[in-house]
Amino acid sequence: MKTIYIDFTNIGDYEDFYAQLKEKITLPEYFGDNLDALYDVITGDLEMPLHLEFVNMTVDQLETFEDLLTTLEDADEELEDFTFSYYLEQYEDEDEDEDEEDETEDQE
């Protein structure tokens, strides 16, 4: 199964998303930058099997791209050979880092 990763680190809006998507996937010339067109391409034009994975999303992006996530989840449910997942960016807990430093100092 082919996996396509979309890194949301530098995506702020739908224009940024579609620009990165076009770098990763060959879309038909008639593709319009909208969710209906994306759903149509996924359900009819893309070579399957395919897994689309969004990485490094922020909590704010979950809200901004809520309709996009819903559209892709719908396609995931509809198609047998298409899967979709997304992951939030990882933050290190500063308290954990301090605790680890304290434990190291205590051991010395």
Side-chain angles (χ1 to χ4, degrees):
M1 176 177 289
K2 181 177 181 180
T3 300
I4 296 173
Y5 298 94
I6 304 291
D7 186 347
F8 271 72
T9 302
N10 295 314
I11 294 178
D13 57 23
Y14 276 93
E15 185 176 326
D16 296 337
F17 166 73
Y18 286 116
Q20 190 172 139
L21 183 67
K22 289 174 183 176
E23 290 176 11
K24 307 279 180 151
I25 299 175
T26 302
L27 297 170
E29 287 183 28
Y30 60 83
F31 180 79
D33 292 354
N34 63 68
L35 296 176
D36 288 336
L38 179 61
Y39 185 85
D40 290 346
V41 165
I42 290 171
T43 58
D45 295 327
L46 294 181
E47 185 178 330
M48 297 294 167
L50 176 66
H51 176 71
L52 184 59
E53 187 168 307
F54 294 173
V55 296
N56 296 319
M57 293 191 81
T58 65
V59 173
D60 289 340
Q61 286 172 322
L62 290 178
E63 186 174 319
T64 300
F65 295 99
E66 181 178 3
D67 291 340
L68 171 63
L69 300 176
T70 300
T71 298
L72 294 172
E73 288 168 344
D74 289 348
D76 187 347
E77 290 177 16
E78 180 77 22
L79 298 171
E80 193 172 300
D81 291 338
F82 175 77
T83 56
F84 166 69
S85 58
Y86 61 91
Y87 298 94
L88 294 176
E89 62 186 352
Q90 299 294 313
Y91 293 102
E92 287 189 24
D93 186 357
E94 290 180 22
D95 291 337
E96 282 183 23
D97 290 342
E98 289 173 10
D99 290 344
E100 288 174 12
E101 289 174 12
D102 290 344
E103 287 175 18
T104 304
E105 289 174 3
D106 291 342
Q107 292 173 358
E108 293 176 359

